[in-house]
Amino acid sequence: MTTPIQLAEQLSTTTLLRFATAGSVDDGKSTLVGRLLHDSKSVLTDQLEAVEDASRKRGQEAPDLALLTDGLRAEREQGITIDVAYRYFATPRRRFILADTPGHVQYTRNMVTGASTAELAVVLVDARNGVVEQTRRHAAVAALLRVPHVVLAVNKMDLVDYAEPVFAAIAKEFTAYAASLGVPEITTIPISALAGDNVVEPSSNMDWYGGPTVLEHLETVPVSHDLTGCHARFPVQYVIRPQTAEHPDYRGYAGQIAAGVFRVGEPVTVLPSGRTSTIAGIDLLGDSVDIAWAPQSVTVRLTDDVDVSRGDLIAPSDDAPAVTQDVEATVCHVADQPLTVGQRVLIKHTTRTVKAIVKDIPSRLTLDDLSQHPAPGQLVANDIGRVVVRTAEPLALDAYADSRRTGSFLLVDPADGTTLSAGMAGASFAAVARAAAPADDEAEWDF
């Protein structure tokens, strides 16, 4: 039996994969999640016994693994809002955090929440229905959020007699569509979540398929948590000035490195003020170090007594982002109250929060057919649109394409702190819209 210490040592040597699941209603997403949890032995004994008991009461001989997630659906039926259900499980090869997102179109904002930190998205389709509008929505959201890996799981292959031509046609259509949206890597897998085909164990019913199972792909897909190659960014969270007899002149700036590497002796610029200095020291867990990298939490000391406060961004002087008060971005509106032109908001970017006003909403993306609706005037819940925001103070934003961490922000209601929209600086859905537009309409796309 594995001891807690052995388990901790084992987990410390395995990588972590964050992934999200998405699919239309009744495509079998709950069954797939249940199958993954069950067959990877990540279900507690009492949970499995409860599922078996509930299945018997329904007259089912085999356990209905979808019941492992049915509690969430029951809560939703009772009027309880569910954002995203996060589930943790592990195998000897890798640890996983699964963001289980609802499939209905009215929960598009939930998929945005779940996929915003995901490195992989599993999109389910029913083999009998093929690629539908909701499938295209999920592909579009994954493309906008720059999820690096997308898996198309063609489910319910048992209901189409495990026919290879059915799978091949769906895989070809989805792959071409997702590739046109800019999805960098697409993997297609034929499965039956109910029967367990190609979920954890290879299927004997589809000997024509020679690729990995869903779990095997999740365990082996390349995952890069290495942020050291990104532009170095250090948002200041707290200014440390103990002013004690032991440290009368100590002044440090604490926070978590968002990306990149910082070194003692490196020239840096403090934004948005633009003041320059040099890193005099880096303190990590009580010790002084010469180098630190993302996502370490450190305290940085500078050679000059410059004015630095919470919300400032420290970056290498030769690679500092531009500051601006005019933010152009794509946002997904997540609040029930609409976002309107002229509305006063707060914009939260890393550790900095400033006042702002929505100057314009140039367009809204219609996810049904990926067309654009110009000048909608407002965005309502689940809408994805372009916005122009004018801030009261300058912000140092990267393009979302360069950094998901420092290129993202939130629009917040100043009255009660409600999150209104999740934004991606500089991100455009022009390419997404063009992928669905007829060639004759190309001249009309002007973002």
Side-chain angles (χ1 to χ4, degrees):
M1 182 177 179
T2 304
T3 66
I5 293 178
Q6 291 173 330
L7 179 62
E9 292 175 347
Q10 182 186 63
L11 293 179
S12 67
T13 61
T14 59
T15 56
L16 173 68
L17 173 68
R18 294 177 179 269
F19 73 101
T21 59
S24 300
V25 177
D26 297 328
D27 275 355
K29 185 167 59 67
S30 295
T31 303
L32 174 62
V33 173
R35 176 64 66 182
L36 273 173
L37 296 174
H38 176 270
D39 290 7
S40 63
K41 296 179 174 54
S42 301
V43 180
L44 299 176
T45 302
D46 58 341
Q47 291 177 309
L48 185 57
E49 290 175 350
V51 168
E52 292 173 343
D53 182 59
S55 300
R56 281 194 298 269
K57 291 179 180 178
R58 291 185 175 190
Q60 298 170 302
E61 295 182 1
D64 182 359
L65 298 180
L67 294 176
L68 288 170
T69 57
D70 267 358
L72 293 175
R73 290 205 299 268
E75 289 176 356
R76 195 176 301 122
E77 289 168 0
Q78 295 169 22
I80 300 175
T81 300
I82 302 295
D83 286 332
V84 181
Y86 290 95
R87 299 178 178 277
Y88 171 86
F89 68 101
T91 68
R93 303 178 70 176
R94 180 168 279 177
R95 293 171 291 146
F96 303 95
I97 295 178
L98 185 159
D100 187 14
T101 65
H104 197 277
V105 61
Q106 71 187 82
Y107 298 115
T108 300
R109 56 186 173 183
N110 302 61
M111 186 195 172
V112 171
T113 301
S116 62
T117 57
E119 292 133 325
L120 181 146
V122 178
V123 179
L124 251 70
V125 300
D126 188 324
R128 299 169 299 176
N129 302 328
V131 176
V132 296
E133 287 183 359
Q134 188 68 340
T135 311
R136 295 185 177 91
R137 291 190 190 99
H138 294 320
V141 170
L144 283 170
L145 294 174
R146 296 188 175 271
V147 178
H149 308 282
V150 172
V151 174
L152 175 72
V154 183
N155 193 24
K156 303 187 181 182
M157 287 297 296
D158 53 314
L159 300 183
V160 294
D161 298 324
Y162 298 103
E164 181 181 7
V166 174
F167 167 74
I170 295 172
K172 181 179 180 181
E173 179 182 358
F174 180 85
T175 300
Y177 183 79
S180 71
L181 300 179
V183 177
E185 181 181 293
I186 306 155
T187 302
T188 58
I189 304 175
I191 69 170
S192 170
L194 184 63
D197 293 288
N198 286 337
V199 178
V200 173
E201 299 295 336
S203 171
S204 60
N205 297 307
M206 291 179 280
D207 54 5
W208 44 264
Y209 173 73
T213 65
V214 173
L215 183 60
E216 183 182 355
H217 182 69
L218 293 176
E219 287 181 323
T220 58
V221 66
V223 176
S224 177
H225 298 293
D226 184 12
L227 299 174
T228 58
C230 302
H231 305 288
R233 302 290 185 259
F234 180 64
V236 176
Q237 184 174 355
Y238 187 70
V239 178
I240 299 177
R241 294 197 66 188
Q243 294 181 317
T244 61
E246 185 179 359
H247 303 285
D249 300 321
Y250 186 94
R251 185 183 181 94
Y253 311 105
Q256 183 183 53
I257 300 175
V261 179
F262 287 89
R263 296 175 174 84
V264 173
E266 181 178 21
V268 293
T269 299
V270 179
L271 300 170
S273 67
R275 295 183 176 89
T276 60
S277 185
T278 303
I279 296 180
I282 302 174
D283 299 326
L284 173 66
L285 299 176
D287 295 325
S288 294
V289 296
D290 294 328
I291 185 172
W293 55 85
Q296 291 178 331
S297 295
V298 299
T299 300
V300 173
R301 291 177 280 116
L302 302 180
T303 56
D304 303 288
D305 189 16
V306 298
D307 183 15
V308 182
S309 58
R310 173 182 170 85
D312 286 346
L313 185 76
I314 297 176
S317 294
D318 60 356
D319 187 30
V323 296
T324 182
Q325 288 183 258
D326 295 299
V327 179
E328 298 184 17
T330 295
V331 302
C332 176
H333 192 63
V334 300
D336 291 327
Q337 64 185 95
L339 183 74
T340 59
V341 175
Q343 185 172 347
R344 296 187 180 276
V345 297
L346 297 177
I347 183 168
K348 186 180 187 306
H349 173 249
T350 62
T351 58
R352 187 174 183 82
T353 302
V354 302
K355 296 178 180 179
I357 185 171
V358 179
K359 297 293 290 185
D360 190 19
I361 303 178
S363 54
R364 183 185 72 234
L365 181 66
T366 304
L367 285 174
D368 290 341
D369 58 4
L370 295 180
S371 63
Q372 62 100 10
H373 178 77
Q378 67 175 12
L379 298 177
V380 299
N382 297 302
D383 278 349
I384 294 176
R386 293 288 292 171
V387 300
V388 178
V389 178
R390 174 73 176 180
T391 62
E393 302 171 30
L395 289 178
L397 288 96
D398 287 295
Y400 186 79
D402 295 331
S403 173
R404 294 173 80 182
R405 177 79 181 273
T406 55
S408 59
F409 61 87
L410 296 176
L411 297 182
V412 179
D413 187 337
D416 58 10
T418 300
T419 297
L420 300 172
S421 302
M424 296 159 280
S428 172
F429 50 72
V432 175
R434 286 193 178 99
D440 293 343
D441 294 341
E442 188 70 22
E444 298 180 9
W445 301 96
D446 183 17
F447 288 84

